[in-house]
Amino acid sequence: MYAVSHQFHEQMRAHRRRVLARVTIDYSDPEGDQSIAVQVSERTASWPDQVADGITTIPYPWASLDGSWVLGASTPYWLMPETEHKALLYQVGWWGRQLAGPDGSFTAPYPTLTVTHAARSAHTLRLVGDSARGEYAVDFTIDLYGEGDALLHQEVVTGNTEVDWSRDLPAPIQGVVKQTVTITKWSHPGRQTKVVEFFTSIQQTYEGEQLISVRLLEERETSNGSLPVGNISANELTVRLVNDGRFDPDNEASPVHGLLLPNRRVRAWLGAEVNGDTEWVPLGTFWSVEWGTESDVLEATVRALDRLEHLRKSIYRTSVVQQNVTAAALAQAILLDAGLSSVAWVIEDELNDVVFPWAWFEPVSHREALRLVAEAAMAVVYCDRDGCIHIGASAVVLPDEETGPWYLQGSSFPAEATVQPVFGIGPDDYFAPLRAPARQDQVANEIVVTARPVAPAGSPEEVYRSTSPITVPAGQTVTVTAQYQDPPVMNAVASLESPPAGVKI
């Protein structure tokens, strides 16, 4: 369900209505492109890989010993994330080392940032500075290279005054495999370079006559039309587009040639005209799994699944035994291990009240690990309409009362016990007969649940013993990998059985 305005709700309930649709596809989505690599000529404690992750804003001004950090200032400064997991929560980007001179100029060798990737066509150039500090590159040069370091295009920029600088190329540059930016002047003297985004993606939006159909499948449990606790919802989007030749696999002049690949981000919206403007309601964020074209019809089809499908394909292997850990902390650790930043999920506060005495996971997919957490915490996991993984007991987050009145588009019952003036589509609004067949096979007189709580053994146990003698040559070291017979294991202590003189662990 998604909160909409009263006018939108009435438009969608009308017997005669005009429903609009829009689909945006990122053909070079950095989140799914494993060919992207970032190199820098210099750096301080920062995270250069973030210049190609599609995030262009900095949450806080990061503290620095360049004279800009003032204790007690009206704008609070934060200490920069020091670990990779914390860097997923807070965007930093690339910080150089050299400090700009009194006029903001750098000296040779100049700070240089290089992004390499699979061959693609470049349509737009973009360089984003530090939005939290209001710093940016004033003079810089962007070079685009093809195979063999052949220079394909050079853009020289002087006197820039924008934190988020971009420029459309007059014609697409084909076969780009490397992009380099060399910064010669900064907006503030005595500061180092701070770049949050440099790699530009190819993004196209389709609406009106470009769209043939948009089909959304939101998975729910079939017997009651809702998502039961302890379950995960996976949604699917199928889009049919008008093919004017750009989707033909042999059309090398197409801007998306060679980019019709899995893991391309697809976002969709439904809209209605409200007071002369269009109000758009998102259907979610998805990632492509297959593309298709047919020779006898001018159509192209893309089928995409939500973010939870990604989590089904990756393995959670780093679990350790934890004591008195909350469901929220477990879920966050799983999502961070999957490489997702904090903008990609919402964990409800009530999961902080669910504490597990002991917790540990065998190597399973990240999606299965989330399902186990949801099952134990009596919660649900699904991707909401904003594309975020939502973990919690409820399936609806109502907007603030002050921004209303709002209505819930797609609800199956009127909202209860809320201060917001909300309304749901009920039985009087159905345009088809409702059938409720009896399901005798799902009726049980007795339900037996067998639980095996995780708990440490009462006394130390032997969990590994080598089956053959280990030879250690004189003056050398031998590494032995112990495969535990019954994981997990805590506080393991290794020992040698009758070792010769001079041999020790």
Side-chain angles (χ1 to χ4, degrees), residues 78-90:
W78 284 53
L79 296 179
M80 190 178 295
E82 70 275 12
T83 65
E84 184 176 359
H85 277 184
K86 288 185 178 179
L88 289 174
L89 296 171
Y90 307 106

Side-chain angles (χ1 to χ4, degrees), residues 221-238:
E221 204 277 329
T222 56
S223 62
N224 58 19
S226 64
L227 186 64
V229 295
N231 281 260
I232 283 184
S233 165
N235 303 328
E236 177 181 334
L237 182 76
T238 303

Side-chain angles (χ1 to χ4, degrees), residues 156-438:
V156 179
V157 180
T158 58
N160 171 52
T161 59
E162 299 177 349
V163 174
D164 190 340
W165 175 91
S166 63
R167 180 169 296 173
D168 293 332
L169 294 172
I173 308 298
Q174 305 290 340
V176 177
V177 298
K178 183 172 71 173
Q179 305 179 46
T180 299
V181 58
T182 303
I183 301 174
T184 56
K185 187 174 182 180
W186 197 245
S187 60
H188 293 65
R191 309 281 181 87
Q192 66 264 77
T193 54
K194 303 173 183 68
V195 176
V196 64
E197 193 71 13
F198 174 53
F199 177 82
T200 57
S201 63
I202 299 177
Q203 183 183 100
Q204 293 189 354
T205 299
Y206 306 93
E207 52 187 323
E209 295 181 352
Q210 298 173 306
L211 274 177
I212 297 175
S213 67
V214 177
R215 179 178 180 269
L216 173 65
L217 173 62
E218 290 185 307
E219 183 180 76
R220 291 293 185 268
E221 204 277 329
T222 56
S223 62
N224 58 19
S226 64
L227 186 64
V229 295
N231 281 260
I232 283 184
S233 165
N235 303 328
E236 177 181 334
L237 182 76
T238 303
V239 180
R240 294 168 59 207
L241 303 166
V242 173
N243 183 14
D244 55 1
R246 75 180 64 191
F247 300 106
D248 294 342
D250 56 352
N251 183 7
E252 297 183 358
S254 170
V256 298
H257 175 69
L259 299 176
L260 305 182
L261 302 171
N263 296 330
R264 299 314 186 197
R265 185 169 57 189
V266 183
R267 290 170 290 172
W269 295 263
L270 290 182
E273 293 183 358
V274 175
N275 298 328
D277 296 323
T278 302
E279 180 178 341
W280 294 103
V281 172
L283 298 180
T285 302
F286 308 83
W287 276 260
S288 62
V289 293
E290 63 181 8
W291 299 79
T293 58
E294 299 181 23
S295 59
D296 56 340
V297 292
L298 299 179
E299 296 180 7
T301 303
V302 55
R303 187 172 70 89
L305 299 174
D306 65 19
R307 196 185 296 270
L308 288 171
E309 176 66 13
H310 276 301
L311 300 187
R312 187 181 64 84
K313 299 178 180 179
S314 56
I315 303 298
Y316 182 42
R317 303 180 185 274
T318 61
S319 176
V320 295
V321 178
Q322 300 181 69
Q323 185 177 11
N324 295 328
V325 60
T326 66
L330 279 178
Q332 177 172 301
I334 295 168
L335 294 167
L336 287 173
D337 186 79
L340 300 181
S341 65
S342 60
V343 299
W345 74 73
V346 176
I347 301 176
E348 293 187 9
D349 292 338
E350 59 211 39
L351 292 188
N352 289 307
D353 299 329
V354 180
V355 180
F356 302 118
W358 296 94
W360 176 77
F361 297 92
E362 296 180 351
V364 294
S365 70
H366 289 96
R367 171 171 165 158
E368 175 62 13
L370 284 180
R371 189 196 67 79
L372 292 173
V373 173
E375 185 177 61
M378 297 295 288
V380 297
V381 182
Y382 64 96
C383 274
D384 61 22
R385 290 290 182 88
D386 292 318
C388 292
I389 296 177
H390 197 106
I391 308 172
S394 64
V396 180
V397 178
L398 297 176
D400 293 336
E401 178 184 8
E402 298 177 356
T403 60
W406 293 96
Y407 294 80
L408 293 181
Q409 180 63 28
S411 62
S412 58
F413 55 88
E416 300 175 355
T418 61
V419 296
Q420 292 87 352
V422 296
F423 177 79
I425 296 178
D428 294 337
D429 302 308
Y430 296 152
F431 296 101
L434 176 65
R435 298 182 179 88

Side-chain angles (χ1 to χ4, degrees), residues 360 362 452 461-468 481-490 492:
W360 176 77
E362 296 180 351
R452 191 182 65 174
E461 297 180 1
E462 183 178 273
V463 294
Y464 173 81
R465 176 182 289 270
S466 61
T467 57
S468 58
T481 300
Q483 300 288 346
Y484 298 139
Q485 300 169 352
D486 189 17
V489 172
M490 298 186 303

Side-chain angles (χ1 to χ4, degrees), residues 49-195:
D49 287 343
Q50 293 182 342
V51 303
D53 62 1
I55 302 176
T56 60
T57 57
I58 301 294
Y60 309 103
W62 300 119
S64 173
L65 299 179
D66 58 4
S68 61
W69 180 17
V70 179
L71 292 177
S74 57
T75 302
Y77 282 79
W78 284 53
L79 296 179
M80 190 178 295
E82 70 275 12
T83 65
E84 184 176 359
H85 277 184
K86 288 185 178 179
L88 289 174
L89 296 171
Y90 307 106
Q91 189 77 4
V92 176
W94 167 53
W95 282 41
R97 180 176 297 275
Q98 181 183 168
L99 299 180
D103 63 345
S105 298
F106 295 108
T107 59
Y110 299 110
T112 303
L113 170 66
T114 301
V115 177
T116 58
H117 46 76
R120 51 159 286 190
S121 59
H123 297 250
T124 304
L125 303 178
R126 190 178 189 185
L127 185 67
V128 183
D130 192 318
S131 59
R133 284 171 162 263
E135 299 182 27
Y136 52 88
V138 175
D139 298 344
F140 54 93
T141 300
I142 296 178
D143 296 313
L144 304 182
Y145 294 91
E147 297 289 349
D149 274 349
L151 182 61
L152 304 179
H153 179 79
Q154 184 176 80
E155 192 82 17
V156 179
V157 180
T158 58
N160 171 52
T161 59
E162 299 177 349
V163 174
D164 190 340
W165 175 91
S166 63
R167 180 169 296 173
D168 293 332
L169 294 172
I173 308 298
Q174 305 290 340
V176 177
V177 298
K178 183 172 71 173
Q179 305 179 46
T180 299
V181 58
T182 303
I183 301 174
T184 56
K185 187 174 182 180
W186 197 245
S187 60
H188 293 65
R191 309 281 181 87
Q192 66 264 77
T193 54
K194 303 173 183 68
V195 176

